[in-house]
Amino acid sequence: MDLIQWFAAPLQHGFMIKAILVSALVGVVCSALSCYMTLKGWALMGDAVSHAVMPGVVIAYVLNIPLAVGAFVFGVGSVIAIGFIKSKTRIKEDTVIGLVFTGFFALGLVLVSKIKSSVDLTHILFGNILGISDADITQTVIISAITLVTLAILQKDLILFCFDSTHARSIGLNITFLYYVLLSLLSLAAVAGLQTVGIILVVAMLVTPGATAYLLSDRFDHMLLIAMASGVFSSVMGTYISYHIDGSTGGCIVVVQTLLFLAAMIFAPKHGLLVRSRNSQTVSESDANQ
Amino acid sequence: MNSVSIDIENVTVTYHSKVALHQAALQLKAGTICGLVGMNGAGKSTLFKAIMGFVKPVSGKILINGLTIRQAQKSNLVAYVPQSEEVDWNFPVSVYDVVMMGRYGYMNLLRVPRSCDKKAVRDSLERVEMWQMRDRPIGELSGGQKKRTFFARALAQQGTVLLLDEPFAGVDIKTEKMMITLLVELSQTERTILISTHDLASITTFCDQVVLINRSILAYGKTSEVFTEENLSRTFGGAVGDFSSAKRQVN
Ligand SMILES: Nc1ncnc2c1ncn2[C@@H]1O[C@H](COP(=O)(O)OP(=O)(O)O)[C@@H](O)[C@H]1O
Ligand SMILES: [Mg+2]
């Protein structure tokens, strides 16, 4: 009875229903993309892009154009900047990524603090899912649809691009196109994630579900389903928990995601720590027997 | 059919203005197996990458069956097996998935396999004796099985030109023998094969042509005519150790 009450109580509020649905949708989208991010080793890139969209978001607010457009321009722009600096100087890539995204992010902070508008810094940094406007919901739905449809159409090509880009080139696929598609989707997903968990934590949405699923599966289609399931579960549970403990929604969502990851890390049937230590024990025992 | 399948005309490739390949010229007819021989750093991989369009020559041109490399790739004419697959072996794909990737060029945008694609994948996997292991994640394969999987992918592409960069490096004898048998079969169906290898002894058994390379093409022609003491000494820079062991292998 208590449990039913626990789940039912928040649903009396319209804003909670919206929050749960939107965060679930964002969970699906970011989780689907997170599989590619994990497999391509793009966690740092995800972090960079999600921070670099900040000035774009602020400028879009001011110009009254969709946030996604501003974020998109700056997200892709940051990656072009990273590529340019890397090719023109002798500085290593991780250093370039670090300095570009903090530079963009700092510019965003300055813009927010100087431009008096309805932009609330804490909402951008930490998300504002409980107070999400209908316009933002519409935008999230559009972003989600674009991302999911693109991923569905290009799934095989993107997997091949992540797995073996040399082969992708050798059969005539345009890998520059695929690179920018993945990057554009990353920028869009960062905007969607920004609404729910905020810029600071959005990289968790774009990495953790994929990493969790990676430990639980050796097949891409399974990995995708597991990632999306864990993403939706975390979003919904996190929103519920934040309601009951009156805590940060974004924080709760990411904590749940992290707990799921830790559980997978320990208990995963094939790649978990328990199985691994049992396997290495059997190996050393059989060594001892010989 | 006796047409030129791979046409390389005066190709020069540089890396940061350092010449890796100078004025290479080579014409391979359909149905030949050509061995590519040279020391480490001689430019073998560079030649393959130039043919594939992965490095852009500063001069010269390369045609495959009269087409540019982009056109040839889009028409599924060329299969390329790089020196070492730069792939993540923990990637969640199975042997079957990998070989199916060889068929993407034949499929629609969604890459939905048709029955001819499934048949090609099955045939290729059976030829390298990997069909039983089709559902294995690639991370659980031995070195030889990995090589056979990627070789099967090249077979599944059903191209007319096959480029193999040191396919026998670190491979067990059984796999090497199997691959050589398959290559000979392929050449009998008018496929053109260019293969780099350090195994000079085996080259004489299955390659009808050979190219000696050391930053430029030193000699090229029938295996028996090109594999002379003088040519080999030029190829291996007169390095005594290399040369005498090479000669021993040939004899
Ligand atoms: N990406 C690269 N950048 C700079 N130099 C390269 C690159 N790839 C190859 N080289 C140089 O070009 C020469 C030929 O290399 P390569 O074609 O790999 O030789 P091989 O395959 O015959 O061992 C070598 O001196 C090598 O150091
Ligand atoms: Mg090489």
Side-chain angles (χ1 to χ4, degrees):
Chain A
M1 256 322 161
D2 275 355
L3 196 63
I4 294 175
Q5 187 55 31
W6 195 86
F7 279 106
L11 302 181
Q12 294 156 8
H13 311 286
F15 73 88
M16 277 305 290
I17 297 178
K18 279 185 195 168
I20 289 168
L21 291 178
V22 172
S23 68
L25 181 61
V26 172
V28 171
V29 172
C30 289
S31 305
L33 199 55
S34 76
C35 292
Y36 299 91
M37 295 297 129
T38 316
L39 292 174
K40 189 76 183 154
W42 267 15
L44 194 56
M45 199 71 118
D47 205 16
V49 169
S50 60
H51 281 78
V53 299
M54 171 105 166
V57 170
V58 180
I59 292 171
Y61 258 120
V62 174
L63 297 180
N64 204 18
I65 56 175
L67 296 196
V69 175
F72 184 78
V73 170
F74 277 79
V76 174
S78 71
V79 174
I80 293 173
I82 289 167
F84 179 80
I85 296 176
K86 202 184 91 184
S87 67
K88 297 293 174 197
T89 69
R90 44 182 282 176
I91 301 170
K92 292 207 180 79
E93 181 167 30
D94 60 339
T95 311
V96 179
I97 292 179
L99 77 85
V100 168
F101 89 71
T102 46
F104 274 83
F105 187 63
L107 175 65
L109 284 180
V110 173
L111 288 178
V112 178
S113 64
K114 289 313 290 177
I115 296 171
K116 293 284 169 262
S117 70
S118 60
V119 187
D120 186 334
L121 181 61
T122 55
H123 289 171
I124 294 185
L125 294 185
F126 304 112
N128 180 32
I129 186 73
L130 301 185
I132 191 167
S133 70
D134 285 348
D136 286 346
I137 292 179
T138 311
Q139 177 181 291
T140 306
V141 169
I142 293 172
I143 289 177
S144 305
I146 293 174
T147 311
L148 292 176
V149 168
T150 311
L151 285 179
I153 292 174
L154 292 178
Q155 174 172 335
K156 291 281 172 57
D157 289 16
L158 288 171
I159 293 173
L160 177 54
F161 170 64
C162 294
F163 172 61
D164 189 351
S165 62
T166 307
H167 180 69
R169 276 169 87 176
S170 77
I171 59 173
L173 299 189
N174 187 340
I175 60 168
T176 314
F177 169 74
L178 294 172
Y179 175 86
Y180 280 102
V181 166
L182 209 47
L183 208 64
S184 307
L185 295 182
L186 178 60
S187 304
L188 288 178
V191 182
L194 187 152
Q195 306 281 352
T196 3
V197 300
I199 276 187
I200 310 266
L201 288 178
V202 78
V203 67
M205 307 279 287
L206 289 166
V207 171
T208 312
T212 306
Y214 181 59
L215 293 179
L216 293 170
S217 174
D218 282 324
R219 290 183 46 178
F220 185 86
D221 45 356
H222 291 174
M223 179 177 167
L224 190 62
L225 290 177
I226 295 171
M228 294 202 288
S230 85
V232 172
F233 178 82
S234 314
S235 290
V236 173
M237 288 309 287
T239 313
Y240 267 106
I241 293 170
S242 82
Y243 174 86
H244 287 291
I245 67 170
D246 194 17
S248 148
T249 314
C252 288
I253 291 174
V254 175
V255 166
V256 174
Q257 279 185 348
T258 311
L259 291 176
L260 286 180
F261 172 79
L262 290 176
M265 186 177 87
I266 296 169
F267 300 111
K270 203 158 150 191
H271 305 294
L273 294 183
L274 287 183
V275 179
R276 287 202 167 188
S277 70
R278 205 179 311 138
N279 286 349
S280 59
Q281 258 172 28
T282 27
V283 170
S284 53
E285 270 166 25
S286 61
D287 282 352
N289 290 341
Q290 279 172 4
Chain B
M1 200 169 87
N2 227 8
S3 58
V4 175
S5 176
I6 303 178
D7 184 9
I8 301 172
E9 287 174 22
N10 297 326
V11 165
T12 298
V13 178
T14 60
Y15 294 110
H16 314 295
S17 72
K18 210 174 120 242
V19 177
L21 200 59
H22 180 70
Q23 295 278 321
L26 179 64
Q27 277 78 37
L28 289 184
K29 292 204 170 75
T32 38
I33 306 187
C34 180
L36 183 59
V37 175
M39 291 190 295
N40 286 332
K44 302 182 294 292
S45 298
T46 302
L47 182 61
F48 283 114
K49 287 177 192 163
I51 297 174
M52 290 304 291
F54 297 166
V55 294
K56 222 178 137 35
V58 287
S59 69
K61 69 171 184 183
I62 297 172
L63 294 176
I64 305 284
N65 292 358
L67 302 172
T68 66
I69 184 62
R70 289 279 313 154
Q71 293 168 324
Q73 284 163 343
K74 292 205 179 248
S75 328
N76 300 301
L77 290 181
V78 195
Y80 167 57
V81 182
Q83 184 161 5
S84 56
E85 286 80 18
E86 287 154 9
V87 304
D88 171 7
W89 294 108
N90 290 316
F91 206 96
V93 285
S94 66
V95 168
Y96 188 87
D97 296 334
V98 170
V99 179
M100 190 57 91
M101 290 170 182
R103 300 292 303 173
Y104 284 6
Y106 292 98
M107 300 180 195
N108 61 14
L109 179 64
L110 293 174
R111 316 290 179 210
V112 183
R114 292 160 304 166
S115 58
C116 63
D117 300 312
K118 290 178 184 156
K119 183 172 177 302
V121 170
R122 181 172 183 149
D123 284 350
S124 308
L125 278 170
E126 280 173 345
R127 287 169 98 174
V128 300
E129 293 171 22
M130 288 289 290
W131 177 246
Q132 309 298 334
M133 295 197 215
R134 62 189 174 278
D135 290 326
R136 284 261 186 109
I138 54 162
E140 294 172 15
L141 301 176
S142 73
Q145 290 165 344
K146 285 174 181 165
K147 260 285 181 265
R148 277 190 268 159
T149 302
F150 281 83
F151 188 66
R153 180 172 76 180
L155 294 179
Q157 281 181 250
Q158 297 177 337
T160 57
V161 171
L162 198 53
L163 307 171
L164 302 148
D165 195 356
E166 299 200 23
F168 306 138
V171 152
D172 54 291
I173 300 279
K174 177 182 173 236
T175 301
E176 175 168 345
K177 287 227 161 78
M178 175 194 285
M179 285 165 74
I180 291 179
T181 310
L182 288 169
L183 290 176
V184 172
E185 278 174 33
L186 284 173
S187 74
Q188 284 157 2
T189 57
E190 291 294 303
R191 308 294 162 89
T192 313
I193 299 161
L194 182 62
I195 174 171
S196 75
T197 169
H198 285 293
D199 190 347
L200 298 186
S202 76
I203 280 190
T204 54
T205 66
F206 75 95
C207 292
D208 32 51
Q209 310 241 327
V210 70
V211 176
L212 300 180
I213 182 172
N214 191 2
R215 312 222 151 229
S216 62
I217 290 181
L218 303 175
Y220 153 56
K222 274 209 174 112
T223 309
S224 53
E225 290 163 14
V226 170
F227 261 11
T228 63
E229 212 166 288
E230 193 205 331
N231 279 340
L232 285 172
S233 133
R234 281 203 297 155
T235 308
F236 293 96
V240 181
D242 264 329
F243 169 56
S244 54
S245 72
K247 216 181 119 208
R248 225 180 303 121
Q249 284 190 51
V250 174
N251 299 337

